[in-house]
Amino acid sequence: MRAVSSYNRRVRRPPIAWLAAGAASIAVAVAYGLVPVADFDVFWHLATAERALAERSLLPVDPFGTGAPGPWPYKDLGGALVLWGTWRLGGFSAISWLQALVGVAAALVLLDGARRRGASPAAAATIVTLAIAAAGFRLIARPVLFSWLLLPVAVWLAKRDWERLRARGRSPWGWWLPPLCAVWANLHREALVGMAIACAYAAALVLRPPCPGARRRAFALAALALVAPLAHPSGAAIFTQTLPVASRAPLRAFIPPWGPPRPG
């Protein structure tokens, strides 16, 4: 009880301070996201989504992609369709707002994660600002935009699940990881990262079980997380085709989301 009370004291800061931290985090996310669409690949994704709708096809082969070792199944059709739908609703201005909204959502998830770790409002806002500055180059009009949000959400779910299991012995949060991986796989190929997060969390449950039955839960979570991305129309090709392409240095240099962080 003493540990729980100490945790609550660390988390429950004066509301006005956390409102200020949230406002600062939102402002930084909007500054990075609400900018004119300047990535030329957006036209590729819009054209691909339009072709898929016109042909009523899941596009087993990318009609416009190059640089792949052989026919390349198009893997980001869900993300392209979201971008296309947003563009149809409000043009490129709407896509800019989508970038900003995704950035704000990710910032708030990061802020809550820092708060739950006991950070002060000022420290939490600083952490969010640095994270956005380091990865802001990925906040662009490509399907990678959705990975920008889903990665911190996956970490947040795992951490929230651990806390609830330790405090109450049961939790619904971890069971959201497999469906998150399935949705993620249909939006962007970095769903592989979501699988890795889920499996790492399952390993933590095995090595340091927070409650009785945690090990059984771990094996179920890992199995579901590994199978969930196969809900993608390309099946396992979402990974077997992507990894060889991503390993090619010229493509990593040409495609910003595959490159190293560029703070700015």
Side-chain angles (χ1 to χ4, degrees), residues 25 29-30 33 98-108 132 139 145 148-149:
S25 300
V30 170
L98 176 64
Q99 293 173 174
L101 290 174
V102 168
V104 167
L108 293 178
I132 294 175
L139 197 60
L145 177 68
W148 211 90
L149 171 60

Side-chain angles (χ1 to χ4, degrees), residues 60 118 161 178 184 208 232 235:
D161 192 62
W184 194 346
R208 295 181 57 192
H232 189 280

Side-chain angles (χ1 to χ4, degrees), residues 27-114:
V28 172
V30 170
Y32 272 85
L34 194 58
V35 295
V37 175
D39 191 279
F40 294 128
D41 268 7
V42 69
F43 299 105
W44 166 33
H45 296 297
L46 295 178
T48 301
E50 201 162 58
R51 173 75 67 87
L53 292 171
E55 297 182 0
R56 298 183 180 181
S57 167
L58 293 174
L59 299 182
V61 177
D62 184 348
F64 306 115
T66 59
W72 188 6
Y74 191 73
K75 303 170 189 65
D76 302 332
L77 184 57
L81 287 170
V82 173
L83 290 173
W84 182 85
T86 304
W87 174 74
R88 289 283 294 177
L89 285 174
F92 291 108
S93 295
I95 293 180
S96 293
W97 277 104
L98 176 64
Q99 293 173 174
L101 290 174
V102 168
V104 167
L108 293 178
V109 171
L110 290 171
L111 188 72
D112 185 68

Side-chain angles (χ1 to χ4, degrees), residues 32 129-138 256 259-264:
Y32 272 85
T129 299
L130 292 175
I132 294 175
F137 72 98
R138 291 163 56 91
R262 297 198 309 272

Side-chain angles (χ1 to χ4, degrees), residues 81-242:
L81 287 170
V82 173
L83 290 173
W84 182 85
T86 304
W87 174 74
R88 289 283 294 177
L89 285 174
F92 291 108
S93 295
I95 293 180
S96 293
W97 277 104
L98 176 64
Q99 293 173 174
L101 290 174
V102 168
V104 167
L108 293 178
V109 171
L110 290 171
L111 188 72
D112 185 68
R115 180 182 69 88
R116 291 181 178 280
R117 292 293 295 174
S120 67
T126 301
I127 291 169
V128 172
T129 299
L130 292 175
I132 294 175
F137 72 98
R138 291 163 56 91
L139 197 60
I140 54 177
R142 295 187 185 187
V144 71
L145 177 68
F146 306 106
S147 290
W148 211 90
L149 171 60
L150 295 178
L151 191 156
V153 169
V155 175
W156 185 92
L157 286 172
K159 177 60 178 173
R160 191 77 177 92
D161 192 62
W162 178 276
E163 292 172 350
R164 183 66 67 88
L165 287 176
R166 187 174 58 180
R168 303 184 182 180
R170 61 182 185 278
S171 169
W173 297 107
W175 298 117
W176 286 100
L177 283 169
L180 179 79
C181 290
V183 172
W184 194 346
N186 283 279
L187 289 172
H188 188 243
R189 66 199 70 199
E190 277 186 18
L192 181 61
V193 177
M195 290 171 52
I197 291 171
C199 290
Y201 174 57
L205 289 176
V206 171
L207 296 174
R208 295 181 57 192
C211 66
R215 288 190 173 92
R216 291 193 301 272
R217 181 189 187 91
F219 291 120
L221 275 177
L224 291 171
L226 289 171
V227 172
L230 299 181
H232 189 280
S234 295
I238 185 176
F239 304 127
T240 59
Q241 287 274 347
T242 297

